[in-house]
Amino acid sequence: MNKRIKMVCSLFAPVFLLVSFVAPKASTVFAQREGGAMRVGLPFVPGRILVKFRSELMELGGRSVIEETGGRDMGEILGIGVHIIELPDGVDEDVFARFLKSRPDVEFAELDRVIPPAQIAPNDPWYPNEWHLFKIAAPNAWPTTTGSSNIIIAILDTGVDGAHPELSAKMVPGWNFYDNNSDTNDIAGHGTIVAGTATAATNNALGVASVSWGCRIMPIRISDPAGYATYSAAAKGLAWAADHGARVANISYSMSTSSTVASAASYFQSKGGVVTISSGNDGAFVSSPDNPYALTVGATNGDDVIYSWSNTGNNLDITAPGFVYTTVRGGGTSSASGTSVAAPVVAGVAALVLSANPSLTGSQAQDILKQSADDRGSAGWDSSYGWGRVNAARAVSLAAGSGGTDTAPPTVAFSYPSSGSTVSGTVSVQVAASDNVGVASVTVSVDGMLLGGDDSAPYSLPWDTTKISNGAHTLTAAAQDSAGNTANASIVVTVSNAIDATAPVISITSPTDGTTVSGNVSVVVNALDNVAVVRVELYVDGQLKATSTTAPFTTKWNTRREAKGAHRLQCKAYDAAGNAGTSSLVTVYR
């Protein structure tokens, strides 16, 4: 988080402006203001988690758990069903998020992480040719379309300089999700670079050329003044852009692994759009599974070799040139590099595809971009180049011809366990899946509740049957290819486990009855179970204050926020079967 980002911009002459902005160090605070409320903390918004329940019915149970902690539902992100939960002081956000994720009624729960913008390293002197446009064969795509003014590209970033001569005529109204107003002016410079890469004005004897120069720009500011953005702001921006007519959205922040952002990208795709997200510039391998609702973009050089600083991994979908000439805040033009500019190159090609064939669905357009890419690295998809380097001419030709979309679903079947078998303990569920192009992911559900997924063969995942009731249960495997085609297979198995009905035994060993306490107090317990204790909760005067899921299950109690006088402490211990044991009350004084 403490990377220094430098920007060098030249303004049409041998006079250079050095703009340097420094990301806050871990010891500093991040201020996020949404709707007038100020939140502080790094590397996530403190006291906040993002939660999505599996259904409205199951949401009721989840809400009761949240309310028991004193937490508040601050509202639902429109269109995607993700709730923003504010937790009371003293509750460990990470522990509580992990606790919620373990519940069958919760689809996911995660911290609202604060993400820096993917680094841009502008270069000087000017490079005489915009080689990235020739590398992706953009000039061969332009005879078919240079981009339709009906196709709007949402730039989710630090804002956009709407007065820039290369951008001003292309702007449509956007929104500022940091200040919650319509001021989308660029406060850090990053967003103007990204916008110009995708769709700066072209063939006007001024500045630079861009990929989809006939399309329009919707500026969506999701960052704070230092350029940092949260998952929740990006998700709100995607949902808003989808509802206001955008067909393409670009996020030049490394956010592909967020479940909240993936939910918003799914909503955007359902509205007929394509989302592009930069992979990041850490030179890291990302082991997280693919986000099927967005294109995660890596960066390549002029020789079609992945840059050493470009992230690779299981979630990489496609690559694009990571060096461009583009617009900069204040009206100038400069060179820039990074996955921050590779992603809007792909966004520009997506806009050309939708301009050539507006009837395409979001998943069809995304599939065309993958199928038409120039394969690099190992044959087919690989973790360094995804499906290859984007090719604008081939993608537009495929879209215009309407004949290249993959409509054949995969085949899928269970290898183990077999239908009608009896299982117990932890079982390795194994699935066989194949496709005419390639299987993108396989997921397994138990009685309609997601168990997990795998995106590489052999497809397998563990199933702890002790967490489900004995009796007959239906396993369903779903295979999906990159075009969004799916196939399902189901079997019925019988779960037979010994029933654990023994509750844990727990007692508070410190502080002792009658003790006077102050400051942060460690509440120490002795918790025992015939199998294992998995969670201990601390209650003060009947209100949940802290949770521990790791032995020896010591919890912290901040007494500074309590009234002076007597307070009753009580702890509860839970085992994996859901049996609960309660300690005796201990009275202490502040």
Side-chain angles (χ1 to χ4, degrees):
M1 301 290 285
N2 58 352
K3 295 182 179 178
R4 185 178 300 273
I5 306 175
K6 294 182 178 179
M7 185 177 300
V8 182
C9 309
S10 62
L11 305 177
F12 302 100
V15 178
F16 304 105
L17 171 67
L18 175 64
V19 181
S20 175
F21 52 99
V22 183
K25 295 183 179 180
S27 60
T28 65
V29 298
F30 166 79
Q32 180 182 0
R33 181 156 55 94
E34 292 183 359
M38 187 70 73
R39 302 297 302 168
V40 180
L42 271 180
F44 56 85
V45 180
R48 180 188 293 178
I49 58 173
L50 306 171
V51 183
K52 186 173 185 179
F53 300 97
R54 294 192 182 278
S55 69
E56 292 182 2
L57 180 63
M58 292 179 173
E59 181 178 331
L60 298 176
R63 281 179 178 274
S64 65
V65 173
I66 293 167
E67 290 170 358
E68 287 176 7
T69 71
R72 292 191 304 144
D73 190 341
M74 303 302 291
E76 178 181 337
I77 297 178
L78 185 64
I80 66 173
V82 175
H83 293 259
I84 301 174
I85 306 299
E86 295 284 356
L87 301 178
D89 291 336
V91 175
D92 186 301
E93 298 92 343
D94 187 52
V95 169
F96 193 73
R98 284 190 280 116
F99 162 64
L100 282 180
K101 284 194 289 187
S102 70
R103 293 177 58 88
D105 51 357
V106 173
E107 183 174 326
F108 65 78
E110 63 182 357
L111 304 179
D112 195 3
R113 294 197 177 277
V114 181
I115 309 297
Q119 187 182 24
I120 289 178
N123 296 277
D124 198 49
W126 285 85
Y127 193 68
N129 300 301
E130 291 184 79
W131 61 263
H132 71 285
L133 296 175
F134 298 93
K135 178 61 69 174
I136 67 170
N140 294 331
W142 292 335
T144 301
T145 179
T146 58
S148 167
S149 61
N150 293 324
I151 300 299
I152 298 171
I153 305 175
I155 304 297
L156 281 67
D157 218 284
T158 61
V160 176
D161 181 359
H164 196 291
E166 295 271 67
L167 306 175
S168 59
K170 305 169 67 62
M171 305 291 286
V172 301
W175 194 254
N176 179 336
F177 282 93
Y178 179 76
D179 292 313
N180 196 31
N181 61 33
S182 59
D183 181 5
T184 56
N185 191 47
D186 194 345
I187 45 77
H190 193 264
T192 302
I193 286 174
V194 171
T197 301
T199 184
T202 303
N203 199 29
N204 60 352
L206 179 67
V208 296
S210 67
V211 180
S212 55
W213 30 290
C215 297
R216 293 187 290 168
I217 301 166
M218 178 184 288
I220 305 289
R221 181 179 158 193
I222 62 172
S223 79
D224 76 338
Y228 283 65
T230 60
Y231 289 163
S232 58
K236 290 177 183 177
L238 281 175
W240 191 93
D243 289 339
H244 288 79
R247 293 292 303 271
V248 179
N250 183 85
I251 305 175
S252 284
Y253 290 77
S254 182
M255 290 188 174
S256 289
T257 58
S258 165
S259 297
T260 298
V261 174
S263 292
S266 174
Y267 180 74
F268 192 92
Q269 187 185 84
S270 73
K271 295 282 190 174
V274 176
V275 178
T276 54
I277 304 178
S278 60
S279 67
N281 298 341
D282 304 309
F285 182 92
V286 179
S287 59
S288 301
D290 180 50
N291 176 353
Y293 308 111
L295 292 170
T296 302
V297 184
T300 51
N301 63 20
D303 295 322
D304 270 342
V305 176
I306 194 83
Y307 278 112
S308 61
W309 39 257
S310 177
N311 287 359
T312 58
N314 296 335
N315 67 339
L316 191 70
D317 291 301
I318 201 166
T319 57
F323 180 96
V324 303
Y325 291 95
T326 184
T327 52
V328 293
R329 184 177 55 166
T333 306
S334 179
S335 56
S337 63
T339 57
S340 274
V341 295
V345 168
V346 176
V349 177
L352 291 179
V353 165
L354 291 169
S355 296
N357 188 347
S359 65
L360 292 170
T361 66
S363 61
Q364 286 173 336
Q366 182 173 292
D367 185 53
I368 284 174
L369 289 165
K370 294 177 181 178
Q371 290 184 18
S372 60
D374 288 341
D375 196 8
R376 295 292 180 262
S378 302
W381 180 91
D382 63 76
S383 59
S384 295
Y385 296 88
W387 292 99
R389 192 252 307 122
V390 68
N391 185 305
R394 190 177 295 123
V396 167
S397 175
L398 197 59
S402 303
T405 302
D406 175 18
T407 59
T411 60
V412 60
F414 282 94
S415 301
Y416 184 85
S418 59
S419 184
S421 62
T422 299
V423 296
S424 62
T426 299
V427 177
S428 177
V429 178
Q430 300 171 21
V431 177
S434 61
D435 184 67
N436 62 317
V437 176
V439 176
S441 65
V442 170
T443 59
V444 175
S445 301
V446 180
D447 298 331
M449 305 288 288
L450 181 66
L451 177 64
D454 196 353
D455 61 353
S456 59
Y459 306 100
S460 64
L461 64 157
W463 176 29
D464 185 357
T465 66
T466 63
K467 294 183 178 181
I468 198 168
S469 62
N470 286 339
H473 296 279
T474 300
L475 293 179
T476 301
Q480 179 172 303
D481 63 19
S482 60
N485 302 305
T486 60
N488 300 322
S490 296
I491 60 172
V492 177
V493 298
T494 300
V495 172
S496 179
N497 287 300
I499 298 176
D500 176 15
T502 303
V505 176
I506 184 171
S507 61
I508 299 175
T509 59
S510 178
T512 55
D513 200 60
T515 301
T516 298
V517 297
S518 62
N520 277 324
V521 176
S522 295
V523 179
V524 183
V525 299
N526 183 22
L528 302 173
D529 186 65
N530 63 316
V531 179
V533 174
V534 297
R535 185 174 84 257
V536 167
E537 297 173 342
L538 167 64
Y539 292 82
V540 179
D541 299 328
Q543 184 178 7
L544 179 64
K545 291 292 184 179
T547 301
S548 176
T549 57
T550 306
F553 302 107
T554 299
T555 54
K556 293 286 187 180
W557 173 36
N558 184 359
T559 65
R560 297 184 185 92
R561 300 182 180 275
E562 305 293 347
K564 292 185 178 180
H567 295 279
R568 297 179 303 162
L569 308 184
Q570 191 171 50
C571 287
K572 292 182 181 180
Y574 297 83
D575 61 19
N579 301 306
T582 304
S583 73
S584 299
L585 289 169
V586 171
T587 301
V588 297
Y589 299 86
R590 179 184 182 276

